[in-house]
Amino acid sequence: MRRPYIAGNWKMHKTCAEAAAFAALLRDALDDAPHTVMVAPPFTALAAVSEVLKGSAILLGAQNMAAEETGAHTGEVSVLMLEELGVSAVILGHSERRHTYGETDELINAKVKLALAHGLTAILCIGETLDEREAGLVTAVVERQLEKGLQGVREAQLNGVVIAYEPVWAIGTGRTATPDDADSVHRVVRNKIAALYSKRAADDMVIQYGGSVKPDNAAGLMAKPNIDGALVGGASLKPESFIPIARFDRG
Ligand code: PEP
């Protein structure tokens, strides 16, 4: 049975003090949440949020990490640094990393393998652009991103992998895939996991949806059989929107 997993990606929002205060509020409101809940503050706020979340059920995530453990990589953050702060999950291959910062499937794959080698959950983001969707390439794109992103990952490591399907045209735009639309791509993802690994691996894989998830559309998306949670951007920044999403009820 897959446990729903709600993750909040705070992107480049909140100073250290703001992040700590918000984390304290979420800790008090969501400690008994019925689903797995994770928040991913900016790197600069990880230590402060880690302190606030100590002993709470809310997981601490990072928004990215370097593909190497250490070395001359100005401006990068290492998996070792994340581990030290109590980070247990890392978002990899987010569309903003792929499309604004030019991250390739190969680079993302190296990060996924490094995260898994260190026992972190790798949230592998995949999803098509609007042009790709209009050209009928949704299946081809998500299958390629999955195959390349998981290259060299063994089936025994998959319990450390979460897939986030985030159609690029739905991120931060207010446009959401309909529940049926999203579910049909999630089915493609699950079938590809079955083809790459096994039916059991596919049945166990947690697949989040991301793209303008809000309190009023969360339950409808999550009611679909292949949607196991959400990666939330904008709506994760305010308690009045994130708390109801994290407490969504499938009915
Ligand atoms: C995201 O950044 O992963 C995301 C889905 O953003 P938003 O919820 O704002 O569309």
Side-chain angles (χ1 to χ4, degrees), residues 11-173:
K11 306 195 186 188
M12 200 174 71
H13 296 286
K14 299 191 188 295
T15 63
C16 231
E18 289 166 349
F22 186 44
L25 205 152
L26 294 181
R27 177 198 59 205
D28 295 344
L30 289 175
D31 221 27
D32 62 342
H35 316 301
T36 301
V37 178
M38 178 274 260
V39 293
F43 288 133
T44 48
L46 281 173
V49 173
S50 179
E51 203 50 47
V52 171
L53 294 183
K54 220 170 248 170
S56 121
I58 301 179
L59 304 175
L60 182 64
Q63 300 174 19
N64 185 25
M65 63 173 225
E68 291 82 16
E69 278 181 355
T70 185
H73 300 289
T74 302
E76 292 290 302
V77 172
S78 154
V79 65
L80 302 174
M81 301 164 187
L82 300 182
E83 277 187 294
E84 186 187 36
L85 294 177
V87 166
S88 63
V90 58
I91 300 168
L92 297 172
H94 188 278
S95 78
E96 287 148 20
R97 301 300 319 170
R98 290 179 187 266
H99 299 291
T100 312
Y101 297 98
E103 292 199 5
T104 61
D105 286 319
E106 289 70 24
L107 178 71
I108 294 159
N109 173 243
K111 295 181 180 194
V112 167
K113 286 189 286 197
L114 186 60
L116 294 175
H118 283 266
L120 264 59
T121 296
I123 300 184
L124 172 62
C125 301
I126 59 172
E128 80 288 355
T129 63
L130 188 57
D131 284 351
E132 288 165 338
R133 171 160 283 247
E134 286 173 347
L137 293 172
V138 178
T139 297
V141 169
V142 299
E143 287 191 343
R144 187 205 75 225
Q145 290 173 336
L146 269 179
E147 192 159 353
K148 293 198 166 183
L150 293 175
Q151 187 96 49
V153 173
R154 287 172 285 107
E155 180 159 347
Q157 296 177 290
L158 288 183
N159 58 356
V161 175
V162 168
I163 305 295
Y165 168 60
E166 299 203 298
V168 179
W169 49 270
I171 297 178
T173 60

